[in-house]
Amino acid sequence: MTKIPSLDLRRGGAELDEELVAAFRRVLESGRYVLGPEVEGFEAECAAYVGTKHAIGVSSGTDALLVALMALDVGPGDEVICPTYTFFATAGAIWRLGATPVFVDSRPRCFAFDPEAVAMRITKETKAIVAVHLFGQCAAMDRLRAVAGEVPVVEDAAQALGASWQGSRAGAMGALGCFSFFPSKNLGGFGDGGLVTTDDDALAARVRRLRVHGAEPKYFHAEVGGNFRLDALQAALLRVKLPRLDEAVRRRRAHARAYTEAFVERGVGAVAGGATCSPRCAGRGTAQEARVLLPPACDPGHTYNQYVVRIPGRRDAVREALAERGIGSAVYYPRPLHLQECFASLGHAPGDFPVAERLAEESLALPIFPELTAEERARVVDAVSEAVS
Ligand SMILES: *Cc1c(COP(=O)(O)O)cnc(C)c1O
């Protein structure tokens, strides 16, 4: 039986090859390989897409977070609130600046961190809050901004280019938005790349300066930055893909809708009701009997960078059963950040954030790349349903 990978970056690529090769040739012949007109053109297109005044191309999503926090003057003695259930870079960027990541737990249904828990962790040391738009769904930004008050909110939108919350685009709702063009993200590049968005002129100027070692003008350094520059080649290739992003997101949404329908119909899955972050976030099916807990769309702006289900008690067995049938899956994330060895000095112990710890044991990401076929999707549903029955 043919394999179904959890992600296939080459599929559907052939139709773009000609344009990508042309973009490559354009950069090759320009003799301009770092920043320059290709990056500026890409930045203008991204700013228009996200709906912010500024978009600044950087070297990766990780560096986008780092430079955004640097622009907010985050440093030793500061606390920065972030979820414990997220990709490592969210907290890694905070730690590298000498600040303390203050973790908060997640909501069990939608995996997003809980704005009410954020409210309880704000102190006079809180310098920023990093909201993660996990798996392509925005955090509850309306509620978060309300609890944050004067504290700036940085959006870690690495997984959520194209997403929106109550009609506002990811990256346009906080003080700064941070994106990644790692190949598996909604807009995947051909190597590493990232972007910082903001409406604030002063923050934008600061990010641009920090991107080139804090130099302004060149060779004169008012502060220490880094090499956070984006390659011209990466920008040129991403400019070919950006106009196709909405169509790719549309396909992701269609896959998610079809997965949810199919699991509910077969009586194995349900979208749990209960505490909601949005009035739209209604349950589906009977959660009590469900063996597969399906991800809710708390807002139609969800982009499903991942379709992550929860399988209490037998996630690993299901993952193995899928692998036996040649179906790829992934665990995001097997260990929450408060239990990572590198953060041991923060003194956390198992049980500190029970929801995140449970999600780490139960979550499984099913294949949902845009080019997945309906037949493949049906095979995934069959395999999961049989494995849990
Ligand atoms: C991918 C990712 C990052 C880091 O982006 P890179 O481009 O890989 O450095 C940061 N935060 C989250 C939530 C991510 O998923």
Side-chain angles (χ1 to χ4, degrees):
M1 205 181 299
T2 52
K3 293 202 164 160
I4 306 174
S6 63
L7 175 66
D8 185 347
L9 293 172
R10 253 328 266 168
R11 210 188 285 188
E15 63 180 273
L16 284 186
D17 281 1
E18 221 169 289
E19 280 184 65
L20 291 169
V21 170
F24 176 85
R25 186 164 288 284
R26 194 171 73 226
V27 174
L28 179 71
E29 288 169 359
S30 76
R32 190 71 203 266
Y33 304 132
V34 176
L35 298 177
E38 287 293 346
V39 171
E40 283 159 25
F42 178 59
E43 289 175 340
E45 287 153 19
C46 286
Y49 183 84
V50 174
T52 49
K53 204 166 160 195
H54 306 279
I56 302 135
V58 295
S59 31
S60 69
T62 301
D63 287 342
L65 286 165
L66 189 64
V67 77
L69 294 172
M70 287 171 86
L72 292 172
D73 285 317
V74 169
D78 294 329
E79 296 177 356
V80 178
I81 299 174
C82 72
T84 182
Y85 193 73
T86 175
F87 180 61
F88 179 77
T90 310
I94 298 165
W95 187 270
R96 282 172 64 191
L97 294 173
T100 304
V102 174
F103 295 119
V104 294
D105 212 349
S106 298
R107 294 190 139 152
R109 306 178 54 237
C110 58
F111 303 84
F113 77 160
D114 185 349
E116 313 317 318
V118 170
M120 292 192 302
R121 303 305 302 272
I122 294 177
T123 70
K124 60 183 194 319
E125 262 65 62
T126 307
K127 191 81 173 198
I129 297 166
V130 183
V132 181
H133 301 332
L134 200 65
F135 305 146
Q137 169 148 278
C138 291
M141 287 300 290
D142 54 324
R143 194 64 205 119
L144 261 177
R145 277 194 308 199
V147 306
E150 296 293 296
V151 179
V153 177
V154 173
E155 298 177 69
D156 180 344
Q159 302 177 5
L161 184 61
S164 58
W165 182 260
Q166 297 175 347
S168 299
R169 270 275 159 89
M173 293 180 278
L176 298 133
C178 301
F179 294 94
S180 165
F181 304 119
F182 185 76
S184 67
K185 309 293 168 134
N186 286 349
L187 181 64
F190 301 83
D192 282 308
L195 187 83
V196 177
T197 52
T198 184
D199 276 325
D200 186 304
D201 296 341
L203 286 175
R206 186 94 189 269
V207 169
R208 287 188 185 283
R209 187 169 79 177
L210 287 164
R211 176 172 69 172
V212 290
H213 291 291
E216 194 180 18
K218 205 172 181 184
Y219 304 124
F220 293 86
H221 302 262
E223 64 177 332
V224 178
N227 172 0
F228 303 132
R229 297 177 304 233
L230 181 64
D231 291 344
L233 186 57
Q234 210 51 252
L237 298 174
L238 287 165
R239 292 178 85 181
V240 174
K241 289 186 80 179
L242 181 61
R244 274 103 169 170
L245 174 60
D246 285 342
E247 171 60 19
V249 167
R250 202 191 56 71
R251 290 194 199 179
R252 288 179 185 276
R253 284 187 184 132
H255 289 318
R257 220 171 13 244
Y259 268 140
T260 296
E261 287 299 320
F263 284 123
V264 170
E265 209 159 274
R266 292 184 66 142
V268 298
V271 183
T276 59
C277 40
S278 150
R280 289 207 188 95
C281 202
R284 293 244 11 232
T286 354
Q288 276 80 8
E289 288 121 54
R291 281 155 289 188
V292 183
L293 300 171
L294 308 169
C298 307
D299 188 288
H302 196 336
T303 56
Y304 295 96
N305 181 246
Q306 301 293 345
Y307 185 87
V308 180
V309 301
R310 288 171 51 201
I311 308 176
R314 31 187 171 161
R315 188 265 316 272
D316 294 330
V318 171
R319 185 159 149 73
E320 272 164 44
L322 291 181
E324 271 165 32
R325 295 180 179 212
I327 298 172
S329 63
V331 172
Y332 305 116
Y333 298 92
R335 178 174 291 177
L337 300 186
H338 68 281
L339 298 178
Q340 297 291 343
E341 192 181 341
C342 63
F343 297 140
S345 62
L346 294 174
H348 287 297
D352 281 3
F353 300 105
V355 177
E357 290 166 33
R358 201 164 82 225
L359 295 176
E361 284 169 14
E362 298 178 353
S363 66
L364 189 65
L366 304 179
I368 192 158
F369 53 94
E371 300 80 11
L372 188 77
T373 66
E375 293 71 38
E376 288 175 317
R377 211 172 53 214
R379 262 178 65 201
V380 175
V381 172
D382 282 346
V384 172
S385 303
E386 281 162 35
V388 296
S389 296

